[in-house]
Amino acid sequence: MKKELKIYLASPRGFCAGVKRAIDIVEKSISKFGSPVYVRHEIVHNKQVVEELKQKGAIFVDELSDIKDGKRPVIFSAHGVPKSVPEEAKLKNLSFVDATCPLVSKVHRESEQLNKNGFEILLIGHKNHPEVVGTMGQLPKDSIKLIETKKDAEALNVNDFKKPLAYITQTTLSVDDTAEIINCLKRKFPKIKGPVKEDICYATTNRQLAVKKIASKCDMFFVVGSRNSSNSVRLVEVAKKAGCKNSQLMHSEKEIPLKDIDKSDTIGISSGASAPEKLVQTLLNNIKKDRKVSIEEVVVAEEKVVFKLPKELN
Ligand code: SF4
């Protein structure tokens, strides 16, 4: 007889509005312009999504210089691009569609506005993440200083800044870790200006809240998502911090640790904003082969956000 296993399923989980829009943009571009269409960088950080889009006629490139046929359109990924990229595309006469998530574009506009109003800008985020590269690239080199950790914030020298100071953040950070960094900045620079509406997006916040609610009840916690997906990796950290030490990222190369699951009575499952729901269902079906599963979905928020497609595709 199969042993019982309780599974808490976090909700919301998986695709956010920005990811759905970006995938839609690639699919609609293929139907409107025919294949192939080029996509600069992974459209969203998920291998399966990228593979499926390749099958449909997308060619993924690292840089515009890798595009072999300049008559085909190119799509910019959901993470956003430095200003130099559309500029280069225009110089090369490439037609392009920008799939940058509107919530990332919001941070881009904030940086421009702050710069225009004479602020020095700190960006809280992870070095080399495409979103950070894109945000820093909205302004001339060295206009934005990157803060990755609380230690970085502590090391700032009050006298280093001649102009008023402001901060912006990456959209997919840990809500709690970022709050610590912001508190540290506010202690050091009481007049520092922050965004009117915070930059960490609704999807990141909701997914972390749902994980926090269930992680402490679980012997193991799985986050379905890719290794380069910032918000998926953050969910694993959040689950660990919330009390489930054995929290793991279920990326495409990882085998399901069925032996460990066998020793567990309760597990939790969530997925990053770029992970398709079918991967969660595959994980559940595999677990169900060995265990008598009862699933409780824990819903912390209803998401109704939908972003419009760019005008080129309407
Ligand atoms: S995680 Fe947030 S910022 Fe990133 S694509 Fe989704 S909605 Fe946009």
Side-chain angles (χ1 to χ4, degrees):
M1 216 176 77
K2 288 182 187 172
K3 237 170 64 180
E4 292 196 355
L5 177 70
K6 169 97 184 174
I7 298 183
Y8 287 108
L9 205 49
S11 178
R13 63 180 178 279
F15 281 2
C16 60
V19 162
K20 281 188 197 145
R21 176 178 178 267
I23 296 170
D24 225 21
I25 287 176
V26 179
E27 289 175 339
K28 290 226 158 60
S29 297
I30 294 170
S31 26
K32 182 164 179 181
F33 309 117
S35 66
V37 298
Y38 287 95
V39 184
R40 184 185 176 275
H41 290 182
E42 286 192 347
I43 184 78
V44 300
H45 281 154
N46 187 273
K47 260 205 167 141
Q48 281 81 359
V49 171
V50 167
E51 282 311 314
E52 281 173 20
L53 291 174
K54 276 187 191 168
Q55 303 297 324
K56 291 179 181 169
I59 299 177
F60 289 83
V61 292
D62 288 333
E63 292 306 334
L64 299 183
S65 53
D66 301 327
I67 292 176
K68 299 240 160 56
D69 181 356
K71 292 193 186 69
R72 304 305 308 156
V74 57
I75 297 163
F76 303 148
S77 80
H79 312 99
V81 290
K83 277 231 159 85
S84 57
V85 173
E87 280 163 12
E88 186 189 345
K90 279 179 200 156
L91 277 177
K92 290 188 148 121
N93 252 332
L94 299 171
S95 69
F96 60 86
V97 186
D98 189 355
T100 302
C101 174
L103 299 181
V104 175
S105 300
K106 163 195 172 276
V107 182
H108 290 180
R109 299 297 78 78
E110 280 164 5
S111 70
E112 285 180 317
Q113 201 58 41
L114 288 167
N115 183 261
K116 203 172 125 199
N117 293 339
F119 282 86
E120 292 214 41
I121 306 169
L122 305 177
L123 167 63
I124 305 170
H126 299 291
K127 197 176 176 185
N128 296 331
H129 186 279
E131 185 187 324
V132 164
V133 174
T135 301
M136 295 188 89
Q138 298 306 303
L139 296 175
K141 201 167 174 271
D142 299 328
S143 304
I144 298 179
K145 186 172 175 55
L146 184 64
I147 303 293
E148 288 196 272
T149 59
K150 194 174 160 202
K151 224 170 155 189
D152 289 347
E154 277 160 358
L156 292 173
N157 193 333
V158 181
N159 299 322
D160 282 351
F161 301 97
K162 308 282 173 261
K163 294 195 252 172
L165 202 57
Y167 72 85
I168 53 177
T169 81
Q170 193 179 327
T171 57
T172 50
L173 299 177
S174 149
V175 173
D176 293 340
D177 294 352
T178 308
E180 272 189 33
I181 298 176
I182 293 171
N183 285 339
C184 173
L185 289 174
K186 284 184 174 164
R187 269 197 308 276
K188 285 193 105 156
F189 310 100
K191 287 190 179 152
I192 192 167
K193 182 179 158 71
V196 178
K197 189 173 181 314
E198 60 187 318
D199 293 333
I200 295 180
C201 76
Y202 78 96
T204 300
T205 308
N206 289 344
R207 279 151 193 68
Q208 290 181 15
L209 266 178
V211 167
K212 259 193 198 172
K213 187 138 187 207
I214 51 185
S216 64
K217 302 178 196 168
C218 301
D219 304 317
M220 296 185 83
F221 201 100
F222 298 108
V223 177
V224 177
S226 290
R227 275 175 288 196
N228 57 351
S229 158
S230 170
N231 76 81
S232 305
V233 174
R234 298 292 86 74
L235 288 178
V236 176
E237 292 168 4
V238 167
K240 283 185 183 166
K241 261 197 174 175
C244 184
K245 291 221 162 54
N246 194 354
S247 297
Q248 312 179 10
L249 189 69
M250 287 303 300
H251 53 79
S252 55
E253 285 90 34
K254 192 174 162 101
E255 274 187 38
I256 304 172
L258 290 170
K259 277 193 188 143
D260 287 346
I261 294 176
D262 202 43
K263 292 180 210 140
S264 308
D265 298 317
T266 308
I267 65 167
I269 298 179
S270 182
S271 53
S274 45
E277 176 63 14
K278 63 182 171 198
L279 299 179
V280 172
Q281 295 306 320
T282 306
L283 174 62
L284 281 172
N285 288 336
N286 277 312
I287 295 171
K288 279 179 190 167
K289 285 180 194 158
D290 297 329
R291 302 292 296 267
K292 185 170 175 244
V293 164
S294 69
I295 298 176
E296 183 178 334
E297 189 154 29
V298 179
V299 184
V300 300
E302 300 277 351
E303 293 181 343
K304 296 196 176 111
V305 182
V306 179
F307 295 130
K308 276 198 262 168
L309 290 175
K311 56 181 183 322
E312 303 90 307
L313 295 174
N314 275 331

